[in-house]
Amino acid sequence: MPGPDRGTPLAALALLFATLGASASAVPATLPARLAAAPQLDLAAVVPALFTGVLAGVLVSMALARVRAARLAAAGAVLQALAGCGLALAAEPVLVVLLAAVLGTGFGLVEAAATALVRGLGAAGTPRRLVALTGTVAIVAAALPLVLAALPVAAAVPVASAAVVLLAAPAAIAAWRVRAATPVAATDGAGAPRALLAGGALLAIAALALALAVGAESLLAGHSAIVPFALLDAPPAAAALGTSAFWLLLATGRFTMAAALRRGASPRAGLVVATLLASTGFAAAAGALEAAPLVAAAALAVAAIGLGPIYSLVLGIALAAVPDGRAARATAALIAAGALGGSALPSALLLAGLGVGAPPTYAVAAATTLGIVLAALVGRGTGRRAAAHPAERIRHR
């Protein structure tokens, strides 16, 4: 991998990650306002379109793997800004869905490229930097719906769209000025998809686990603003708080798991506990949805806490077993697998006619998260064999 320019500003990375938080929360947080203005609209495909766009953006970044990551990050931020402008004006459901897909494409480009830039700053400090930068994502994602809740319902869409534009535009400028030469995947586009097989069975298992995890997380993210609206009869302005609650619950799970790991807990044991907690929460929600909506909402909160650390645990366990020379390729491929799951599960449930008010929706989510536990247990021996690779023994000295 080409050496990074040590002048790379962390401020640019902070702005790039902040755009991810705005884009992730702006779309679901404004759905109640759009429905309040036009109840006849069918906007069920909006959130799946967002995550389909994320997958497209990650795949584009893999195809353009030799392009400087800073340039791709700038392009992704520009796409988010343009989509934000369009969403402020869009009223027709088809146009909203298309613009959500464009927003997601920009999101995927920024996520992949910004992660490559963080890695390019140096392997030793990557975990610390990513924790801080993903904290920026959570802060923005939680804060935006709180702002919307304090405003008239009619202001939700233009204000959320403006937030995306006002963060994405300076992020694009800052990213364009970054001089780091780090490519997105430090490989050619054809080699990146083969990273799943190049690292052995563990990466294939991790790819499946990430697809399941992001699928469940994107499902709950899409429902986060609708749950208070549909289950608790909250007014549209208060319903937007559901998205803030979702991100705060994810942060609770992440910080709790981080504390446990600092005290010596095993990442794999933590993954099993987190996924069992999420699966139990989803199962309880499915059982209580019709008889006790308040209990179902509380169970979904428990599921969100469990979901919080799953993505980073799976990714960390997998990459710990990958030699340095293949780490960047594996990272890009694993992000793509997660994005695929984020698009596939909500889309499949949508096609099956399952929504917030359907108990089978959360029964499927419970089975999905339980699958992550099984993947973790199946991959246990594989992970140990991979970690025994000579390159890994050298890397961990």
Side-chain angles (χ1 to χ4, degrees):
M1 178 180 292
D5 180 352
R6 296 300 174 183
T8 300
L10 287 174
L13 287 169
L15 277 171
L16 288 168
F17 276 84
T19 65
L20 301 184
S23 295
S25 65
V27 170
T30 55
L31 289 181
R34 290 186 183 276
L35 291 173
Q40 76 281 4
L41 294 182
D42 182 5
L43 298 175
V46 171
V47 172
L50 175 69
F51 284 97
T52 300
V54 173
L55 173 61
V58 174
L59 293 177
V60 168
S61 75
M62 293 170 67
L64 302 176
R66 290 193 179 277
V67 177
R68 288 169 59 180
R71 295 292 185 259
L72 281 183
V78 168
L79 276 181
Q80 289 180 93
L82 292 174
C85 292
L87 286 169
L89 303 173
E92 292 298 322
V94 173
L95 189 55
V96 175
V97 169
L98 289 175
L99 288 168
V102 174
L103 184 68
T105 302
F107 185 112
L109 282 172
V110 169
E111 181 183 19
T115 301
L117 286 172
V118 173
R119 287 181 61 86
L121 291 175
T126 296
R128 172 177 52 81
R129 295 187 186 100
L130 281 176
V131 167
L133 291 167
T134 53
T136 304
V137 176
I139 289 171
V140 175
L144 180 57
L146 291 176
V147 173
L148 299 183
L151 299 172
V153 174
V157 171
V159 169
S161 301
V164 172
V165 174
L166 291 175
L167 285 170
I173 295 171
W176 189 262
R177 292 177 176 175
V178 171
R179 296 183 179 179
T182 305
V184 163
T187 183
D188 57 69
R194 293 197 296 270
L196 292 177
L197 298 178
L202 177 65
L203 286 181
I205 293 170
L208 173 62
L210 283 172
L212 295 175
V214 179
E217 187 175 315
S218 63
L219 172 71
L220 196 52
H223 289 185
S224 60
I226 305 298
V227 164
F229 193 58
L231 301 185
L232 305 179
D233 295 324
L241 294 175
T243 302
S244 286
F246 169 76
W247 284 101
L248 290 174
L249 290 167
L250 286 186
T252 299
R254 289 168 184 170
F255 290 130
T256 301
M257 184 60 65
L261 294 177
R262 282 197 300 270
R263 292 177 177 272
S266 162
R268 196 178 299 276
L271 175 60
V272 172
V273 170
T275 49
L276 286 176
L277 183 64
S279 183
T280 301
F282 279 127
L289 195 61
E290 295 179 346
L294 182 60
V295 174
L300 291 176
V302 172
I305 293 174
L307 283 174
I310 291 176
Y311 182 87
S312 57
L313 284 172
V314 173
L315 195 58
I317 291 169
L319 293 180
V322 178
D324 286 343
R326 292 200 298 263
R329 288 181 294 172
T331 300
L334 288 171
I335 290 175
L340 178 61
S343 171
L345 181 61
S347 297
L349 290 173
L350 176 63
L351 291 174
L354 299 177
V356 176
T361 298
Y362 300 116
V364 170
T368 296
T369 48
L370 188 60
I372 303 170
V373 178
L374 298 177
L377 295 177
V378 169
R380 184 176 181 181
T382 306
R384 287 175 176 172
R385 290 192 297 272
H389 190 285
E392 283 303 294
R393 290 197 295 268
I394 293 172
R395 187 162 69 94
H396 288 290
R397 285 178 183 173

